[in-house]
């Protein structure tokens, strides 16, 4: 039942916050405020429901080291996506027409903060963590990554390939980031940094959401969909998949070195044993 209660608690915040942010789109200040508020409330609710249902401190969203972990994740996300755009631009398929909107980019901060926090709490904080306790890291990584990709089929310009790309690059990369650190702050930062770079900086589509947000650059992609991702956006680009896999491998290598990869649980090992892993 803890899985149900935790998912329900965070999903209610995500839905309410998402509706609020959607209602004020076009107003950069209210989008920023409501987005950040949704993120903060989601973390608080997650911490509360974990303490109530698992009778333990919610260390994965603890304050200690949170700022540094979030910052490292955001840096990795921005740099990785910049490499994707750099490769697309090298082929002449990404063109900058001019300066975009500074206030638009500020609004994107709130929009992407709400999305990154709520999605990471749901998929890595609840689903991945609990599935991993029962099945081990590898099955949890594949199953929750696939589910994360399938969720994006609900987006306006979704494609099967786009969902598969998200499952591989994002589901794997974000899950591996959690495994390597055992804190949700790094995958939250990574998720936020990638999405903000994609929309808030480079002005491209985010996972088939139905229209690029106004970022710092007024730009457009053209050419082969395998290179640019087409209407779904650069997350469906082969470059995103390749770079996402490389980052995933790096995180998993780090996790293995630190002894944080959970093997398939034996019957005589308690399901909560994962909580004792080194951080």
């Amino acid at each position: 039942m803890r899985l149900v209660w935790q998912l329900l608690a965070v999903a209610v915040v995500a839905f309410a916050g998402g509706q609020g942010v959607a209602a004020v789109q076009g107003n950069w200040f209210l989008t920023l405020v409501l987005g950040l508020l949704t993120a903060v409330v989601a973390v608080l609710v997650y911490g509360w429901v974990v303490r109530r249902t698992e009778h333990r401190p919610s260390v994965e969203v603890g304050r200690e080291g949170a700022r540094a972990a979030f910052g490292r994740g955001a840096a990795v996300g921005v740099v990785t996506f910049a490499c994707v755009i750099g490769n697309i631009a090298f082929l002449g398929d990404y063109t900058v027409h001019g300066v975009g909107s500074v206030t638009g980019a500020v609004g994107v901060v709130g929009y992407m903060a709400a999305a990154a926090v709520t999605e990471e709490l749901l998929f890595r904080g609840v689903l991945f963590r609990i599935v991993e306790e029962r099945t081990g890291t590898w099955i949890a990584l594949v199953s929750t990554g696939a589910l994360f990709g399938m969720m994006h089929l609900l987006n306006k310009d979704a494609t099967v390939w786009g969902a598969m790309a998200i499952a591989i690059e994002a589901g794997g990369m974000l899950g591996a980031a959690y495994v390597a650190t055992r804190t949700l702050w790094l995958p939250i930062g990574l998720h936020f940094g990638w999405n903000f770079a994609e929309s808030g900086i480079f002005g491209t589509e985010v996972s088939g959401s139905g229209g690029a947000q106004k970022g710092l650059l007024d730009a457009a992609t053209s050419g082969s969909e395998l290179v640019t991702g087409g209407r779904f956006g650069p997350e469906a680009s082969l470059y995103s998949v390749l770079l996402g896999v490389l980052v995933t491998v790096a995180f998993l290598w780090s996790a293995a070195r630190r002894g944080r990869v959970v093997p398939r649980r034996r019957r005589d090992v308690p399901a909560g044993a994962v909580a004792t892993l080194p951080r």
Side-chain angles (χ1 to χ4, degrees), residues 113-187:
V117 170
T118 55
E119 289 181 14
E120 289 313 299
L121 292 176
L122 287 168
F123 281 91
R124 261 56 67 177
V126 180
L127 287 172
F128 178 87
R129 182 175 56 80
I130 293 177
V131 171
E132 185 188 39
E133 290 178 7
R134 297 291 180 180
T135 66
T137 296
W138 301 112
I139 292 177
L141 202 61
V142 172
S143 59
T144 60
L147 185 61
F148 189 63
M150 289 173 60
M151 181 192 74
H152 288 78
L153 285 171
L154 300 176
N155 291 354
K156 181 179 178 181
D157 293 316
T159 64
V160 173
W161 163 245
M164 290 174 60
I166 290 286
I168 296 168
E169 76 207 20
M173 181 168 58
L174 295 167
Y178 171 71
V179 175
T181 60
R182 294 296 162 181
T183 174
L184 288 171
W185 292 115
L186 193 135

